[in-house]
Structures are given as C-alpha cells and as structure tokens.
C-alpha cells in the first residue's frame, strides 16, 4: 500500500488524476445543466400540449355544463352523447379528462380506473383555475394513482353568458418524460465514459512525454553525483520548454565534464611540477647526508637545491595567485588608470632582463594618457608577463616591440618578438595551465607554466580576450581594454 502511495505521488499520476478530475467535473456540470434545461423544456412542452387539449375539451363540454344537468351526477353519467364526446377526446389525444363543476367535484371521468369513485380536485388548484383561467400541477390525486401525473386544469366558460360553469382537468402520465430522462442518462454515462477514456489516454501520453525527460534528468544527476559525466539527455526533436531544458542540461553536462577534465589535468600537472623539484631536492640532500656527494662538491649541489626550492616556492605562489585572481572582479568599482604609465613602469622593471639577452626595444607608447577601466596592478602584471615571455624566447640581439593604440573605442596593447615560429596547433595551448613545449622546456628551466594562464585569467576577469599569432618567426600577443 505504501509503495502504491509512493508511486502515485509522481508527476505522471498527479497530472493524470488532475486531468481526469477536471474532465469528470466538466462532464458532470454539463450533464446537470443540460438535463435541467432539457427536462424543464420537455415539461413545459408537455404542459402546453395538455393545456391545449384541455381547452378544446372545455369548449366542447361548456354547453353540457351550463345546461344544469351536471347537478345530478347520475344524470350526467347517463348522458350518452357527452360520454361519447369525452371518450372520443381522450382517445384521439391520449389524455384522460376529468369534467368538474366550479367546486372541483368530478362529474365525469374518461379514465376507467376512476369509475365509481367520488373525486374532488384540491381546493387550492380549483381556486387557481377559476382565478387564472388555467393551472398545472403534478399530483397522484390523493393516492389514487400509483405515480404522480401531470394535471392541467382549464376553466370552462359559457359561450352565451361568459360565466364560469366548471373546469376540465386533463391528466397525462410522465412515462414518456421518464423514458426520455432514462435514455438521456444512459447516453450521458456512455458518452462520459468514452470521453473520460479518451482524456485518460491523451493525458497519459502527454504526461509520459513530459515526465520521461525529467526522469532521465534525475538518473543523469545521480550519475553526475557518482562522477560519471558522459551521460547526455535526449531532446527528442522537441522545440518546447522541455527541449530547451534538455539542451541546457546537456550544456551544463558538457561544462561539468570539461571542468572535471581540467581538474584532473590540473592535479596531474601540479603533481608532475611538484614532483620534479622535490625529487631533486630529496636526492641531492640524501647524497650529501650519506656521503655519496664529495665534500668539495657539496656547495655546488646545495646551490642546485636552493634553486629548486625557489622554483618550488614560485610555483606555489603562482598557484595561490591564480586562486586569488579567480575570486576578483576588477570592474565592480569602475577603477580607471593610465595605461601608458603602466607600460613605461614595466619597461623600466624589465631593463636588466632585456639587457642580459642583448635585446633592443621598440616602444610605441603615446605621450598622452590613455585612461582605461580595470585594475592597474593586474593589467601591469599582464603586460609584465607578456613582455617577460617575449624576452625569454626572443632571438639574441633581436628587437622587442611594445605598443599601445586606440582603435574602435578601445585601447589595444601589442607585444611582439622575433624568434622561432610557434606551430598553429600549439597556439591555443599557450594559455593552458602548466603548458610547456619542448622548446620552452629546454630554454626556460625556471618557468612554471602559469604566466600566460594568469594573463588569460586576468583578461577574462576584465571581460576581454587575448589574441596570438606566429608567422615567419614573428610572434605577436595583443589584447584590448575598455576605455573610461
């Protein structure tokens, strides 16, 4: 029982029950409304028809009622002409007639079931007939009939004097109306059953189509929680909200899968980068301690240990910088600064490294200020990292280029060097964490592979991107900044 209750709590059953309930309620309301209207209409038609027949009989019997012979009931019953007239009227109209005096006493009846009985029409009904000229009601005449009948009383008026001389009550059974009512109820229930079954099937198909993607999402979410990001949603070719939800869900899954892949690559890379200096430090330290390394060479190997320790420290510091950068939003406060001044400071700080590699610098920096939006320290680090990277891999004695220009409402910074051409397939990988080509590994032993990744992260925080090209030995980095 509890399991069935749990299954019925699902969206499928809820929507099915709601749809079925609404259809059933609508059918009931329509059925009650239609039955009430049709029943009242049929009853009204029945009353009008009986009243018309009663008027005809009242006109035909008025001369008999005003003759005075109605004072003796036995004489009226013995009046063969009048009896034949009344019987003929009952036969042709399928209605029973009661010929009554002004006080409601029945003088003559065409219904053989009332033969020999003394019957009086209720005084209230007789009064209404005499006052209004006609009245109708439904009664069993004091229990004489097993079932109630429609009764219509019409006043009989003397053609000569215009006085009320009696009333004619016509009686009709409700069998036809009851038969119509029964047929309607049967038809209503049959139609309701068919409509309800159609509604159930249509609602079932619709609910299943809506619930199935949700169930798939629930299963996919469980798989994601277990670390499996390969599962995807089926869109079933739908262009409605469920199709959009499936597309968004798959996009989220792709993003999670990429994030998970990057996380694993990061762990693998950081493990590799940390392992190399730590292995070197541990190996040379053990060699000094166990005497494998001669005392006269200890100073040399201690220098190597110190260098690896500093490289390890730089790696950890850079990793902390990356974590901090990802939590910064430099555009929140609308800071602005002079880009040209920042570029000049970077050139001054890079003077020794540039001189050591015997490089020339072509600086194309405007004399006037270029005010840009962003964080001064972060953009300064971007320019420094790019210029430092360009200096490391520039050909000895070549020229470095650092310039700024205003174009299309933005400030563009360009760093260019002359060295080896970077393969086109490797260009997108330059900004990945810990990426090092074989060339850079041989020439940049002190690098940690995070400089360009930090550049990309800072510019993404500023809602900007960096472009790189490398052709014929000329490698160019360029990025833009929004101006104040």
């Amino acid at each position: 029982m509890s399991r069935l209750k749990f299954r019925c709590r699902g969206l499928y059953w809820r929507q099915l029950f709601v749809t079925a309930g609404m259809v059933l309620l609508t059918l009931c309301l329509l059925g009650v409304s239609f039955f009430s209207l049709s029943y009242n209409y049929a009853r009204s038609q029945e009353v009008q028809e009986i009243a018309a027949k009663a008027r005809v009989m009242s006109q035909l019997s008025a001369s008999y009622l005003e003759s005075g012979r109605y004072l003796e009931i036995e004489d009226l019953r013995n009046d063969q002409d009048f009896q034949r007239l009344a019987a003929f009227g009952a036969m042709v109209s399928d209605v029973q007639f009661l010929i009554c005096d002004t006080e409601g006493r029945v003088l003559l009846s065409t219904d053989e079931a009332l033969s020999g009985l003394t019957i009086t029409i209720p005084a209230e009904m007789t009064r209404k007939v005499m006052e209004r000229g006609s009245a109708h009601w439904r009664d069993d005449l004091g229990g004489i009939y097993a079932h109630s009948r429609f009764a219509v009383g019409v006043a009989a008026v003397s053609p000569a004097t215009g006085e009320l001389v009696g009333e004619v009550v016509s009686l009709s059974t409700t069998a036809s109306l009851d038969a119509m009512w029964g047929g309607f109820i049967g038809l209503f229930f049959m139609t309701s059953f068919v409509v309800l079954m159609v509604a159930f099937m249509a609602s079932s198909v619709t609910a299943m189509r809506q619930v199935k993607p949700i169930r798939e999402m629930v299963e996919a979410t469980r798989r994601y929680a277990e670390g499996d990001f390969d599962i995807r949603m089926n869109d079933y070719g739908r262009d409605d909200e469920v199709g959009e939800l499936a597309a968004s869900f798959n996009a989220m899954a792709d993003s999670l899968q990429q994030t998970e892949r990057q996380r694993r690559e990061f762990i693998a890379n950081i493990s590799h980068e940390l392992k190399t200096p730590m292995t070197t430090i541990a190996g040379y330290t053990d060699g000094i301690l166990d005497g494998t390394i001669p005392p006269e060479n200890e100073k040399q190997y201690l220098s190597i240990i110190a260098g690896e320790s500093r490289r390890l420290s730089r790696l950890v510091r850079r990793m902390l910088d990356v974590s901090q950068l990802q939590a910064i939003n430099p555009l929140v406060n609308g800071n602005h600064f002079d880009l040209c001044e920042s570029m000049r400071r970077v050139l001054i700080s890079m003077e020794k490294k540039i001189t050591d590699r015997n490089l020339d610098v072509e600086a194309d920096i405007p004399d006037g200020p270029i005010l840009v939006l962003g964080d001064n320290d972060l953009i300064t680090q971007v320019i420094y990292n790019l210029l430092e990277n360009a200096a490391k891999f520039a050909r000895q004695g070549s020229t470095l280029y650092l310039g700024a220009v205003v174009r299309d409402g933005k400030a563009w910074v360009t760093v260019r060097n002359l060295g080896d051409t970077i393969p086109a397939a490797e260009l997108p990988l330059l900004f990945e964490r810990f990426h090092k080509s074989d060339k850079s590994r041989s020439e940049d032993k002190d690098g940690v592979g995070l400089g360009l990744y930090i550049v990309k992260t800072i510019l993404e925080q500023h809602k900007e991107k960096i472009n790189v090209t490398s052709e014929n030995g000329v490698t160019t980095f360029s990025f833009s900044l929004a101006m104040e």
Side-chain angles (χ1 to χ4, degrees):
M1 186 66 182
S2 60
R3 184 177 180 182
L4 179 61
K5 184 178 180 181
F6 176 77
R7 289 180 59 85
C8 292
R9 286 167 52 190
L11 291 177
Y12 172 79
W13 291 105
R14 289 182 181 179
Q15 183 172 352
L16 195 63
F17 290 148
V18 168
T19 303
M22 293 179 62
V23 172
L24 186 60
L25 178 61
T26 303
L27 289 175
C28 291
L29 293 176
L30 289 176
V32 171
S33 301
F34 182 75
F35 168 74
S36 177
L37 292 175
S38 61
Y39 180 79
N40 290 333
Y41 175 78
R43 181 175 178 178
S44 176
Q45 291 294 107
E46 183 78 8
V47 169
Q48 292 179 8
E49 183 179 354
I50 296 175
K53 297 174 181 178
R55 290 189 185 94
V56 173
M57 181 58 65
S58 68
Q59 293 174 2
L60 293 175
S61 60
S63 59
Y64 287 90
L65 294 174
E66 70 175 349
S67 63
R69 290 180 293 172
Y70 65 92
L71 296 176
E72 295 294 337
I73 297 178
E74 294 296 334
D75 294 339
L76 183 62
R77 289 176 176 174
N78 294 327
D79 192 330
Q80 298 296 325
D81 294 335
F82 186 79
Q83 291 179 7
R84 284 194 295 270
L85 177 64
F88 177 76
M91 181 182 64
V92 298
S93 62
D94 197 22
V95 174
Q96 300 299 331
F97 296 103
L98 302 179
I99 312 300
C100 308
D101 59 14
T102 55
E103 296 180 0
R105 295 191 297 269
V106 178
L107 303 177
L108 179 65
S109 172
T110 61
D111 188 356
E112 296 181 357
L114 303 181
S115 179
L117 298 178
T118 302
I119 303 172
T120 301
I121 303 300
E124 181 66 19
M125 294 296 101
T126 300
R127 184 182 62 79
K128 289 182 180 180
V129 171
M130 295 304 168
E131 290 179 355
R132 302 176 184 176
S134 64
H136 62 86
W137 64 92
R138 188 172 182 177
D139 195 17
D140 60 357
L141 295 182
I144 295 177
Y145 290 108
H147 303 285
S148 297
R149 298 194 176 194
F150 284 124
V152 178
V154 176
V157 181
S158 173
T161 63
E163 295 180 356
L164 296 174
V165 294
E167 66 175 329
V168 176
V169 178
S170 56
L171 300 174
S172 175
T173 63
T174 60
S176 60
L177 193 60
D178 293 341
M180 183 197 70
W181 189 7
F184 169 75
I185 292 177
L187 181 63
F188 170 74
F189 278 111
M190 183 181 68
T191 306
S192 300
F193 177 77
V194 174
V195 172
L196 197 59
M197 289 298 101
V198 173
F200 260 116
M201 289 186 291
S203 177
S204 176
V205 173
T206 304
M208 183 61 69
R209 288 195 62 191
Q210 294 179 354
V211 171
K212 187 175 181 179
I214 298 177
R215 290 178 177 173
E216 291 182 0
M217 291 180 188
V218 172
E219 180 62 26
T221 304
R222 292 173 181 162
R223 297 277 294 274
Y224 294 158
E226 297 172 358
D228 182 7
F229 297 99
D230 294 329
I231 189 172
R232 293 294 182 272
M233 286 289 302
N234 295 320
D235 58 3
Y236 300 102
R238 300 176 61 163
D239 55 358
D240 55 4
E241 289 81 357
V242 175
E244 294 179 3
L245 181 61
S248 300
F249 196 88
N250 289 336
M252 179 196 69
D254 293 336
S255 178
L256 288 174
Q257 189 176 43
Q258 183 178 4
T259 301
E260 177 64 14
R261 183 173 61 252
Q262 291 176 350
R263 183 185 69 84
R264 292 178 180 177
E265 290 177 356
F266 176 77
I267 293 175
N269 291 333
I270 195 64
S271 300
H272 175 74
E273 294 295 332
L274 290 176
K275 178 181 179 181
T276 301
M278 292 177 66
T279 301
T280 303
I281 293 172
Y284 289 157
T285 302
D286 291 340
I288 293 173
L289 292 175
D290 60 17
T292 304
I293 298 176
E296 60 272 15
N297 294 333
E298 288 181 359
K299 186 175 182 180
Q300 174 187 356
Y301 287 102
L302 287 174
S303 299
I304 296 175
I305 292 174
E308 292 296 319
S309 299
R310 286 191 294 271
R311 190 161 80 91
L312 186 60
S313 177
R314 286 195 302 272
L315 175 60
V316 174
R317 187 169 61 252
R318 286 294 183 91
M319 289 167 50
L320 293 176
D321 291 341
V322 171
S323 299
Q324 293 174 354
L325 288 175
Q326 292 174 342
I328 294 176
N329 187 354
L331 300 178
V332 170
N333 299 322
N335 298 329
H336 62 276
F337 63 95
D338 183 5
L339 178 63
C340 298
E341 181 62 26
S342 299
M343 295 172 69
R344 295 188 188 99
R345 287 202 306 269
V346 171
L347 277 177
I348 293 173
S349 64
M350 287 285 298
E351 181 179 2
K352 185 177 184 305
K353 292 185 178 181
I354 294 174
T355 303
D356 290 343
R357 291 187 58 83
N358 195 24
L359 300 173
D360 292 330
V361 176
E362 180 185 351
D364 186 11
I365 303 174
D367 295 333
I370 298 178
L371 298 180
V372 295
L373 295 175
D375 188 281
N376 188 7
D377 293 336
L378 295 179
I379 298 302
T380 299
Q381 184 176 358
V382 168
I383 300 172
Y384 184 91
N385 287 2
L386 290 177
L387 197 59
E388 181 185 35
N389 184 78
K392 283 181 182 179
F393 300 103
R395 187 178 301 130
Q396 289 274 351
S398 62
T399 301
L400 294 179
Y401 173 85
L402 176 63
V405 66
V406 176
R407 185 173 67 249
D408 299 331
K410 285 193 173 186
W412 287 84
V413 178
T414 302
V415 178
R416 184 166 57 242
N417 73 336
L418 182 62
D420 294 331
T421 301
I422 303 175
E426 192 176 339
L427 290 178
L429 304 177
L430 294 178
F431 303 97
E432 297 294 329
R433 288 176 292 193
F434 305 110
H435 173 73
K436 286 185 180 182
S437 63
D438 295 337
K439 181 71 175 176
S440 62
R441 291 182 185 275
S442 62
E443 295 187 4
D444 184 22
K445 297 183 175 60
D446 295 331
V448 296
L450 287 174
L452 294 180
Y453 175 77
I454 291 175
V455 167
K456 184 188 73 169
T457 302
I458 293 175
L459 291 177
E460 286 178 348
Q461 298 295 90
H462 285 76
K463 311 300 181 186
E464 302 290 347
K465 293 183 179 180
I466 186 168
N467 302 316
V468 57
T469 60
S470 184
E471 296 179 354
N472 301 323
V474 179
T475 301
T476 303
F477 292 88
S478 62
F479 65 91
S480 62
L481 291 172
M483 299 185 64
E484 184 185 15

